[in-house]
Amino acid sequence: MRKLRTRKHTAALGAVTAVLALSLTACGGDDTGTKSAGPAGDAASAAASTDSKSTDASKTTDGSKSGTAAQNTGATKAGTSKTGTSGGTANAGGNTSDSYAYKHPCKSSDLSVRVYPREGSATQHVIEINNTGANSCGLSYFPRVSLGAAKASDHSGDIIPAVPGGLGGAPAYPVKPKTAAIAVIDLNPGGKNGVTWVDEMNVLPDGDHMANAETQNFPLGPDVKVGDAKLGLYRGTVAEAVASMQSAGKS
């Protein structure tokens, strides 16, 4: 019986020793694997970091280029919406002669219209017609202007300002690309108690060649008084347009 127990104890101790040896070997393998995998992981991380930085730098560079392209595209689109042509076309060979303008009336798509109070006057407004196209074009001697109520259903009673008489000469008023034709209107030259129902100015840049549907409407605001309104011819400067307006109503 004692010998049997000794043999059993010896076998058990041998089994435990074998298990411990295997465990130590396995742990040693894990440590070794971890150590060898460590540098490789660091290198991969470094490479990934470098790639990430390169990608970020590439994105930044591409982004800035894309932004510039988008801005240029936006400018081109804006130019197209206003002028119907790109801004560079005029410099690339647009026709800027007066003789060309006499034979080519301006199109609404090549014009932008502004109306604003003339500085230093309580009753005068500037009508500015800008040629945003690539070529010179011709306008009638003065814009077709009427003054009325924005909410009126019938505009037959709108006020038509007086214009200078004795007109003649060139077949049209020429406007070169990127320049403006300017007219000035005085709503109440005498400063009298005029009508107060007018709150809108209607402007057709060329009454000789454009349809009524191309008329643009501009609010005048409240408390406007209109009496004996006068409108001048198209001129190159506000001062010249004022002088022309002052001669309105005279033959």
Side-chain angles (χ1 to χ4, degrees), residues 17 123 132 151 154-155 167 182 195 197 219 231 251:
T17 302
T123 60
T132 58
K151 295 183 179 180
D154 180 9
H155 289 275
L167 303 180
I182 297 173
V195 298
W197 51 268
L231 172 67
S251 56

Side-chain angles (χ1 to χ4, degrees), residues 36-52:
S36 61
D42 293 342
S45 300
S49 177
T50 302
D51 291 342
S52 176

Side-chain angles (χ1 to χ4, degrees), residues 95-227:
N95 197 314
T96 61
S97 66
D98 288 354
S99 59
Y100 184 89
Y102 296 150
K103 298 177 182 179
H104 296 82
C106 295
K107 299 178 181 179
S108 293
S109 58
D110 289 334
L111 302 175
S112 67
V113 183
R114 294 180 60 212
V115 172
Y116 52 92
R118 179 185 167 232
E119 186 176 357
S121 174
T123 60
Q124 296 178 12
H125 284 71
V126 177
I127 302 171
E128 183 181 296
I129 313 295
N130 291 276
N131 179 3
T132 58
N135 304 304
S136 291
C137 61
L139 292 170
S140 50
Y141 288 162
F142 54 88
R144 180 185 292 174
V145 176
S146 65
L147 305 165
K151 295 183 179 180
S153 57
D154 180 9
H155 289 275
S156 60
D158 285 4
I159 297 172
I160 308 298
V163 296
L167 303 180
Y173 181 83
V175 191
K176 296 184 183 298
K178 310 301 181 274
T179 60
I182 297 173
V184 170
I185 183 172
D186 196 329
L187 303 179
N188 193 359
K192 300 178 181 179
N193 291 325
V195 298
T196 58
W197 51 268
V198 173
D199 61 3
E200 182 178 66
M201 183 187 304
N202 309 301
V203 179
L204 184 64
D206 188 335
D208 293 340
H209 301 97
M210 294 181 178
N212 289 335
E214 297 174 273
T215 300
Q216 298 189 36
N217 314 108
F218 299 89
L220 293 174
D223 303 325
V224 173
K225 295 181 180 180
V226 177

